[in-house]
């Protein structure tokens, strides 16, 4: 099975007025997505932000939970956060993966909109199960990655649809759903369930 990596991208993203901005890093996104990534054996969880002041926030949080009192207080949290690292941009994430894996990853992103290269979850799941090329799964913050950036990716996953026309999940919930679909147990194939 190929390895999966996750990047939470804070720039270039849209705000609610569809202006390109750099969003702020949040403590919840670092902790909660790290726990989800550890649960699904994601090899590395990148916090992607170009500003040094935001990098410093990430490093301070990681230091507290890995080297400081937080690691003693909650070793499970420290273990999850051990897979988190900061990178300044998407290309730096891909280069880091290439250094670790010896090959460049497929870059797959998510969006609430569809694009010409939008694919389903079964397709990427098959790439992971049957291939050896790593996958970098990108999650956009704010109102999603800007359209120019989206054009550069190998694939874009279809949106996560709920049971109605409301479609605005927080990124932490979307990350959990997407990772479960891509690398979780195939519960839908169990024959003995009633």
């Amino acid at each position: 099975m190929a390895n999966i990596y996750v990047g939470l991208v804070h720039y270039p993203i849209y705000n609610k007025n569809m202006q390109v901005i750099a969003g702020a890093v949040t403590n919840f996104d670092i902790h909660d997505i790290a726990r989800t990534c550890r649960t699904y054996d994601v090899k590395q969880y990148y916090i992607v932000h170009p500003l040094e002041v935001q990098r410093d926030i990430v490093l301070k949080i990681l230091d507290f939970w890995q080297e400081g009192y937080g690691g003693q207080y909650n070793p499970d949290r420290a273990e999850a956060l051990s897979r988190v690292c900061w990178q300044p941009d998407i290309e730096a994430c891909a280069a880091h993966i290439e250094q670790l894996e010896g090959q460049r990853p497929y870059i797959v992103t998510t969006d609430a909109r569809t694009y010409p290269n939008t694919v389903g979850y079964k397709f990427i799941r098959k790439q992971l199960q049957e291939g050896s090329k790593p996958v970098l799964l990108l999650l956009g913050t704010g109102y999603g990655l800007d359209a120019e950036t989206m054009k550069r990716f190998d694939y874009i996953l279809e949106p996560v649809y709920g049971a109605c026309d409301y479609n605005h999940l927080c990124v932490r919930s979307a990350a959990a759903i997407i990772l479960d679909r891509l690398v979780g147990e195939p519960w839908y194939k169990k024959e003995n369930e009633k």
Side-chain angles (χ1 to χ4, degrees), residues 7 46-48 87-98 105 136 138:
Y46 300 104
I47 306 296
V48 184
Q87 289 291 348
D89 55 46
I90 296 164
E91 183 52 39
C93 296
H96 186 247
I97 294 167
E98 187 170 6
L136 170 57
L138 299 176

Side-chain angles (χ1 to χ4, degrees), residues 10-11 21-25 47-59 86-89:
H10 295 80
Y11 175 83
I21 62 160
V25 171
I47 306 296
V48 184
H49 204 300
L51 299 178
E52 289 185 13
V53 67
Q54 294 292 301
R55 179 203 62 198
D56 293 346
I57 291 168
V58 172
L59 297 179
W86 169 86
Q87 289 291 348
D89 55 46

Side-chain angles (χ1 to χ4, degrees), residues 57-156:
I57 291 168
V58 172
L59 297 179
K60 186 173 183 177
I61 291 168
L62 295 178
D63 184 60
F64 175 78
W65 286 99
Q66 293 172 339
E67 306 297 329
Y69 175 70
Q72 298 166 18
Y73 175 75
N74 190 338
D76 288 338
R77 183 71 54 95
E79 181 181 348
L81 289 169
S82 72
R83 296 189 183 199
V84 177
C85 77
W86 169 86
Q87 289 291 348
D89 55 46
I90 296 164
E91 183 52 39
C93 296
H96 186 247
I97 294 167
E98 187 170 6
Q99 182 181 23
L100 294 172
E101 299 270 348
Q103 59 182 323
R104 190 167 174 82
Y106 289 115
I107 300 180
V108 178
T109 193
T110 59
D111 203 285
R113 299 169 285 267
T114 59
Y115 293 81
N117 59 339
T118 295
V119 296
Y121 294 89
K122 281 185 182 180
F123 178 80
I124 299 299
R125 187 176 178 106
K126 185 175 181 183
Q127 299 295 317
L128 286 162
Q129 289 176 336
E130 297 177 4
S132 61
K133 190 172 182 176
V135 170
L136 170 57
L137 173 68
L138 299 176
L139 304 163
T141 55
Y143 282 72
L145 292 161
D146 81 304
E148 284 303 309
T149 303
M150 295 292 278
K151 292 177 184 177
R152 299 189 339 225
F153 304 130
D154 297 299
Y155 303 109
I156 299 168

